[in-house]
């Protein structure tokens, strides 16, 4: 990883660590600058009944640009993975939808967010959730074990997006799907023009264009790619719903099961195993 990429990663980690502390009421006056959300980001993008059913700290820690659980078509018994799970709002919503025979995983690199998510899961009484510490570019789960990958405005923060797409494809079962919300740029905007509209940690400078997003997913092996803008977040920049599928038949090592026991997890309760609900 280049020095610039390492620096960006540390800036992201510090800013979202500050956001976790702020959401839990533990931010100090002299700590890192917290992330500020406007009407284009945050918990107001979730329905009121969803927010009311969750711990206030999980809602306060939501800084995404959409609601991936609203478009994930989750079924009872499925296994869901949230990339960049933060305070756990999408993990907790997913856990409710997949039910006791399903399971929702959250993956985050930030200790403070993981601690917040664990506390929020305990407050919510969620027993079918598990939080993993790690990078979305190197998911600590075996291959072909997840039915649905979701994410809320996190992939744009990655400094290695091809690795994110490849890892999402690897952990999905054949026939699985990715359903994310993310910031996407108009195809005519250069990387420099995107940076003029906002910084990397603010989910703007690192955003892919529509064409780049489609190409990245296709290169990883995904099919039936669909990217639908929902609302503007800056001039020529949009929050968008991204849908893509892993083919039901996948040949080669990316679709083959990997040895179990590959993850290092922070657990909140336990869950029974589940099978996918798709025929």
């Amino acid at each position: 990883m280049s020095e610039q990429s390492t620096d960006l990663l540390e800036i992201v980690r510090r800013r979202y660590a500050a956001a976790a502390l702020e959401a839990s009421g533990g931010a100090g006056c002299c700590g890192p600058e917290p992330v500020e959300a406007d009407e284009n980001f945050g918990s107001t993008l979730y329905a009121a009944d969803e927010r009311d059913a969750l711990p206030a700290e999980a809602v306060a820690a939501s800084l995404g640009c959409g609601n991936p659980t609203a478009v994930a078509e989750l079924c009872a018994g499925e296994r869901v993975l949230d990339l960049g799970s933060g305070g756990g709002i999408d993990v907790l919503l997913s856990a409710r939808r997949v039910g006791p025979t399903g399971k929702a995983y959250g993956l985050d690199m930030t200790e403070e967010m993981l601690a917040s998510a664990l506390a929020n899961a305990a407050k919510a009484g969620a027993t079918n959730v598990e939080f993993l510490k790690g990078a979305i570019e190197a998911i600590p789960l075996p291959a072909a074990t997840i039915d649905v990958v979701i994410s809320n405005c996190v992939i744009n923060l990655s400094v290695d997006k091809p690795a994110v797409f490849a890892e999402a494809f690897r952990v999905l079962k054949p026939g699985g799907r990715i359903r994310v919300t993310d910031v996407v740029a108009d195809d005519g905007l250069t990387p420099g023009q995107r940076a003029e509209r906002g910084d990397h940690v603010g989910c703007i400078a690192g955003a892919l264009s529509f064409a780049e997003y489609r190409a990245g997913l296709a290169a990883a092996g995904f099919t039936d790619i669909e990217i639908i803008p929902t609302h503007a977040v800056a001039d020529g920049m949009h929050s968008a719903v991204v849908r893509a599928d892993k083919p039901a038949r996948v040949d080669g090592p990316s679709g083959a099961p990997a040895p179990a026991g590959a993850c290092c997890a922070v657990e909140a309760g336990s869950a029974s195993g589940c099978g996918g609900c798709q025929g």
Side-chain angles (χ1 to χ4, degrees):
M1 184 180 295
S2 69
E3 183 177 348
Q4 181 182 18
S5 295
T6 301
D7 290 344
L8 279 175
L9 191 65
E10 177 60 16
I11 291 169
V12 170
R13 188 201 67 76
R14 285 175 57 83
R15 290 286 296 276
Y16 287 92
L21 292 173
E22 182 182 37
S24 63
C29 65
C30 300
E33 181 184 355
V35 175
E36 296 182 2
D38 59 22
E39 67 275 8
N40 297 316
F41 298 88
S43 62
T44 59
L45 299 173
Y46 293 80
D49 60 337
E50 291 179 316
R51 299 195 304 268
D52 293 344
L54 297 176
E57 293 84 356
V59 175
S62 174
L63 298 165
C65 58
N67 177 0
T69 63
V71 297
E73 305 115 16
L74 299 178
C75 301
E78 288 191 310
R79 290 181 179 262
V80 185
L81 169 64
D82 181 19
L83 301 180
S85 50
I89 185 170
D90 293 316
V91 173
L92 296 178
L93 289 173
S94 297
R96 292 162 63 92
R97 296 185 182 183
V98 300
T101 60
K103 189 166 185 178
Y105 295 91
L107 174 64
D108 206 283
M109 68 174 182
T110 309
E111 291 277 5
E112 292 84 352
M113 280 296 187
L114 289 168
S116 176
L118 280 171
N120 292 332
K123 290 175 183 176
T127 59
N128 59 336
V129 305
E130 186 173 346
F131 292 96
L132 314 171
K133 183 182 179 182
I136 63 176
E137 299 85 359
I139 299 171
L141 284 172
T145 54
I146 297 296
D147 295 293
V148 191
V149 170
I150 64 172
S151 184
N152 192 357
C153 206
V154 171
I155 294 175
N156 67 78
L157 295 171
S158 173
V159 296
D160 188 356
K161 295 174 182 65
V164 177
F165 296 143
E167 279 291 272
F169 189 88
R170 180 185 67 81
V171 300
L172 280 170
K173 299 175 183 177
R177 59 199 187 275
I178 184 170
R179 300 288 189 267
V180 307
T181 51
D182 209 0
V183 172
V184 185
D186 284 344
D187 290 335
L189 291 183
T190 67
Q193 289 170 326
R194 297 169 212 175
E196 291 172 358
R197 287 155 170 76
D199 60 11
H200 187 94
V201 77
C203 303
I204 301 297
L208 296 173
S209 71
F210 284 90
E212 289 166 347
Y213 222 116
R214 289 190 190 93
L217 288 167
F222 286 101
T223 60
D224 299 318
I225 300 165
E226 183 180 45
I227 306 175
I228 302 174
T230 57
H231 60 273
V233 299
D235 183 23
M237 312 284 293
H238 314 270
S239 173
V241 173
V242 181
R243 297 182 176 94
D245 300 330
K246 180 173 181 174
R249 178 177 176 83
V250 179
D251 298 320
S254 62
C263 66
C264 178
V266 184
E267 294 197 34
S270 60
S272 57
C274 67
C277 66
Q278 301 177 20

